[in-house]
Amino acid sequence: MAEKILLLNGSPKKERSGSLLLARAFLDGLTLHGDFETETVHISALNIKPCLGCLTCWAREDATCVITDDDIPAVRKKIEDADIVILCAPLFFFGLPGTVKVMMDRLLGMVNPYYGKPIPADGSSLHGFTKPHPGQRFVLISSCAWIEKEVVYASVFSQLDMILGKGGYLALTTPQMNAIVYHAGGRRLAKMQADYKKAGEEYAATGTVSEKTIAYLARPMFSDSVYQLFYEKMWRKPNGVYLLHGIDKESD
C-alpha cells in the first residue's frame, strides 16, 4: 500500500517559493525508491477563517471546530491521513508566515486539551494528538536570509517542540535563499537542490537525516563579505528607485 505524503506549502508565493523548490527536491529523493502517493497544498490558496478562541473543539467528542464552512475540515483530514507531513515555509519576521499560523490555530482540536499539568520534563508534546497516526512523521523545510539558524528560528522550533515534542519532527533549514535562487547563475541553486534530493534519499533509507547532513544543508553558500554586498546593492536607490523593485518576484 502506498505511503501518503502531504506537502503543505506555507509560502504566499505558492509556486514561486524557494522553500518549495527545496521541498520538491527532497521529495524527489524520498520517493525515488518505494510506493508513495503525494499531494501538494498551497496554504495561502485556501479559505481559512481565523480561530475564535472558543475552545469548543476540546469540548466535542470528535474534537471538530465550530467553524465548518471553510477549508480546514478537509485539510485536517489530509493531515490525519498522511504518513508523512512536510511543511515548507520561509521564515517571516522570525516566525512562520501568518497564513500558516492561522491554519495551525484552527487545528487545535487535533491535540488533547490542556489540563493544567506541568510541562513534560521528557520533552514530549505538551498536548499529544487526539487521533494518533502510528508511524506518522513530520518534516519542516524552511529557507531564510539569516545564517544563525538557532537564533532566528528559535520561536519556530520552540512552537514545534511544544506541539510535536522535541525530536518529534525533522527540521531542515537553508540560509541566503534569495541570493541562491536569483543571483548565483543557477549553479548554486542546482547544487542545493541536489543536496536536498540526497537528504530525501537518506530520509527514505533511514527514517531520519543525520546531524551532519542537517548542518551541511544549513551552510552558507556565500562568504559574509559577498553576501553583505548583495544586500547593500539590493537596497540601494539609483535615481530614487529601490533595486528591490526589480526583483520583487523573487522566491523566498
Side-chain angles (χ1 to χ4, degrees), residues 106-153:
R106 287 287 309 288
L107 296 175
L108 179 67
M110 291 186 67
V111 300
N112 293 310
Y114 171 57
Y115 292 111
K117 296 179 180 179
I119 291 176
D122 61 359
S124 59
S125 168
L126 271 62
H127 289 276
F129 284 100
T130 55
K131 296 180 181 179
H133 181 141
Q136 189 176 45
R137 293 181 282 170
F138 296 89
V139 180
L140 170 69
I141 295 178
S142 181
S143 61
C144 68
W146 294 88
I147 296 168
E148 300 84 355
K149 83 168 191 178
E150 296 303 331
V151 176
V152 297
Y153 278 99

Side-chain angles (χ1 to χ4, degrees), residues 163-216:
I163 296 172
L164 301 174
K166 292 183 178 181
Y169 62 98
L170 169 67
L172 304 176
T173 64
T174 292
Q176 303 181 335
M177 196 61 196
N178 252 346
I180 292 172
V181 172
Y182 285 95
H183 300 276
R187 178 173 57 86
R188 285 184 174 86
L189 176 59
K191 169 61 176 167
M192 187 58 69
Q193 288 175 299
D195 292 340
Y196 265 85
K197 182 177 180 180
K198 288 181 182 177
E201 292 182 67
E202 180 181 341
Y203 191 70
T206 67
T208 188
V209 172
S210 69
E211 290 297 326
K212 180 179 179 181
T213 298
I214 293 172
Y216 187 68

